[in-house]
Amino acid sequence: MKTQNMNRDWIATARTLSQALPYLQRYTGATVVIKFGGNAMGDDEEMASFARDIVLMRQVGVKPVVVHGGGPMINAMLDKLQIESHFVNGKRVTDKATVEVVEMVLSGRVNKRIVQAINAEGGKAVGLSGKDAGLVTCDQTNPDLGFVGTPSDVDVSVLRDLAAAEAIPVIAPLGAGRNGETYNINGDTMAGAIAAALKADRLLLLTDVEGVKGADGEVLTELTPTQIREMTESGVIAGGMIPKTETALDAIEGGVRAVVILDGRAPNACLLELYTDHGAGSLIRA
């Protein structure tokens, strides 16, 4: 007869699974939009870990929708092709040559790499961009910036069809103009627009920071839109955190139940947020 001693790691794992039960029940059937980007996209191990988490979420009844960025990859390809970038007030001008590279990198290389990673973990991912099935129609954000768009109309019927088929949409942040132009869209903005149109239960914005920090430098675990506005006016929220919190406020106003800004570099960040008592990052809700 074979005997086996129970070690503490196994017991801790079983306890964690047991404690996750209320959250598993809570999120069954919920739509969760995840904005994926940053350094994790360039690391094979972190990409595989992210993909495994997304497949697990789908397996336990969550309907995940992944929206990705790809700025570093775009920069690398522009340099390789010797396409010079011009900037207006610190923002890249996306001319016709640049937007063609953007589409090639985002819809081609980056999107399919994420799709492949999710499928390798046993998921059923489908890659698309905002140009597919009339998903996102854009207006030009600023004529000085060229082919940079802001979502104006979002038709998520194709995403609902994919969810019904238990597939996982992976969306590149591109949209079509009213005259057929291709527009590049900020990844956070795209994720917020998709989440609002789906009336998602959660929008998870994975970043390279731990979350929204207060005046003392500590991460704030829960915030209201009013607090966000006050902290922005006082300068506590500044720099690159401003567009992320603005995306959060727009998403909540559009019908998203809550937005979480969290560190995508942390192992299993999405699972920590959804299935543990302490969560991860900064939760923003009305």
Side-chain angles (χ1 to χ4, degrees):
M1 180 181 294
K2 186 176 181 180
T3 62
Q4 183 168 266
N5 294 323
M6 300 293 288
N7 68 34
R8 292 180 179 177
D9 288 343
W10 299 341
I11 294 171
T13 299
R15 183 181 298 115
T16 299
L17 290 171
S18 178
Q19 292 172 345
L21 177 60
Y23 302 100
L24 293 169
Q25 294 169 328
R26 158 74 179 79
Y27 287 107
T28 296
T31 297
V32 177
V33 178
I34 305 103
K35 162 58 189 349
F36 181 50
N39 295 329
M41 294 182 64
D43 185 281
D44 288 341
E45 289 187 9
E46 292 188 26
M47 175 74 80
S49 176
F50 171 79
R52 194 175 306 116
D53 289 353
I54 296 299
V55 173
L56 189 151
M57 290 163 61
R58 177 68 263 190
Q59 187 67 38
V60 297
V62 172
K63 294 181 280 190
V65 176
V66 178
V67 179
H68 65 83
M73 294 78 169
I74 293 170
N75 293 338
M77 184 58 72
L78 289 172
D79 290 342
K80 185 175 182 179
L81 297 176
Q82 298 182 340
I83 296 176
E84 185 177 353
S85 295
H86 302 281
F87 295 85
V88 173
N89 296 325
K91 297 182 178 180
R92 185 199 304 276
V93 176
T94 305
D95 57 18
K96 187 172 179 58
T98 301
V99 79
E100 289 178 355
V101 174
V102 168
E103 183 169 24
M104 175 179 67
V105 173
L106 292 179
S107 284
R109 180 184 175 193
V110 178
N111 187 273
K112 300 316 171 194
R113 183 165 173 254
I114 298 170
V115 167
Q116 184 177 13
I118 292 173
N119 290 344
E121 297 297 335
K124 187 167 67 172
V126 176
L128 64 162
S129 78
K131 293 174 65 177
D132 294 310
L135 178 57
V136 177
T137 303
C138 288
D139 290 324
Q140 190 176 43
T141 302
N142 182 340
D144 292 339
L145 297 178
F147 293 95
V148 176
T150 300
S152 52
D153 298 305
V154 183
D155 180 354
V156 292
S157 55
V158 65
L159 303 185
R160 298 193 190 282
D161 291 342
L162 290 170
E166 298 189 356
I168 300 168
V170 179
I171 306 169
L174 298 160
R178 300 184 186 280
N179 297 312
E181 314 95 323
T182 297
Y183 283 110
N184 183 24
I185 305 169
N186 174 273
D188 290 340
T189 301
M190 181 77 157
I194 295 291
L198 286 168
K199 298 295 186 284
D201 192 88
R202 286 287 186 275
L203 167 60
L204 307 183
L205 298 176
L206 303 186
T207 72
D208 291 337
V209 296
E210 297 170 338
V212 181
K213 296 183 179 180
D216 60 0
E218 295 295 320
V219 174
L220 302 172
T221 57
E222 190 161 346
L223 292 155
T224 66
T226 298
Q227 291 171 320
I228 290 288
R229 295 186 185 98
E230 290 173 350
M231 292 170 64
T232 303
E233 290 175 4
S234 66
V236 174
I237 293 177
M241 186 55 69
I242 292 177
K244 294 188 183 302
T245 52
E246 286 179 345
T247 293
L249 297 182
D250 289 343
I252 291 169
E253 185 176 341
V256 176
R257 185 168 180 177
V259 180
V260 185
I261 299 175
L262 65 162
D263 190 350
R265 301 168 301 178
N268 310 114
C270 295
L271 302 187
L272 284 171
E273 171 54 36
L274 296 180
Y275 302 122
T276 66
D277 288 332
H278 50 77
S282 301
L283 176 73
I284 304 167
R285 61 182 170 189

